[in-house]
Amino acid sequence: MAVRFVSTEIISSTDGLGHTETRQVDSEETREARRNNTGAGKSLHQQLEEQEEKKKEQYDATTKAIFSPGEALDAEDVAFFEDEERRKDAARAARREIEAHEFAEAKAAAASAPSFKPPAIRAAPA
C-alpha cells in the first residue's frame, strides 16, 4: 500500500457548514507501510507494474506446476501395475471358465429333458 496515495485523516464539522476539523487516523496497515517505507520514490504506475509482475510470476509458476509432465514410473510402480493386470486377467479367465461350465450343464440338461411336442391340430368338420 502506498501511503502517499491514501488519505489518513477524517474531516468533520461542528456546525455542519464548514469542514474545519481534521483528525489523523492511522490504521495498522498505514503504520506498517510508513515503517517499511514501501514504494518510496516510486510512482503509482511503477508500483502497480511491480505488483502485476509479481502476480504474473506466481501465475506462471502455478501454471507450470499444473501442466508439467508427471513423474515417471519407477520399477516398483511398473511391477505393481503388471501384477494388477495379471490378477484381473486371471479373474476374467476364471469367470469365463465358470460361465462355460454352466452353459455346458444347461445344454446337457436341455438335451436330456423330454422335448415338448405340441398336440396335433385337426381340421374342424365341415
Side-chain angles (χ1 to χ4, degrees):
M1 177 176 141
V3 178
R4 64 184 190 181
F5 297 112
V6 177
S7 174
T8 59
E9 291 181 343
I10 296 177
I11 301 172
S12 60
S13 171
T14 55
D15 59 1
L17 297 174
H19 301 291
T20 56
E21 297 178 13
T22 61
R23 184 172 49 124
Q24 188 75 22
V25 178
D26 280 340
S27 67
E28 184 62 36
E29 192 176 11
T30 57
R31 279 188 227 119
E32 187 174 330
R34 283 196 181 111
R35 269 186 260 134
N36 294 339
N37 199 14
T38 57
K42 295 179 184 177
S43 68
L44 177 60
H45 179 70
Q46 289 172 334
Q47 293 176 30
L48 293 174
E49 279 183 343
E50 288 176 2
Q51 288 177 2
E52 185 178 342
E53 287 174 13
K54 287 179 187 176
K55 286 182 182 179
K56 187 175 184 325
E57 288 173 4
Q58 288 176 343
Y59 174 80
D60 290 343
T62 304
T63 304
K64 184 178 180 182
I66 290 172
F67 292 109
S68 66
E71 296 178 12
L73 298 177
D74 59 3
E76 184 179 336
D77 294 333
V78 172
F80 172 77
F81 287 122
E82 288 175 350
D83 288 343
E84 284 295 307
E85 280 300 313
R86 275 190 235 110
R87 186 185 61 78
K88 288 178 184 177
D89 288 342
R92 282 187 210 112
R95 190 175 331 116
R96 272 188 247 117
E97 185 177 319
I98 291 170
E99 289 173 356
H101 179 69
E102 289 174 353
F103 181 73
E105 285 179 350
K107 192 174 181 182
S112 66
S115 60
F116 174 74
K117 293 183 182 178
I121 299 175
R122 297 184 193 167

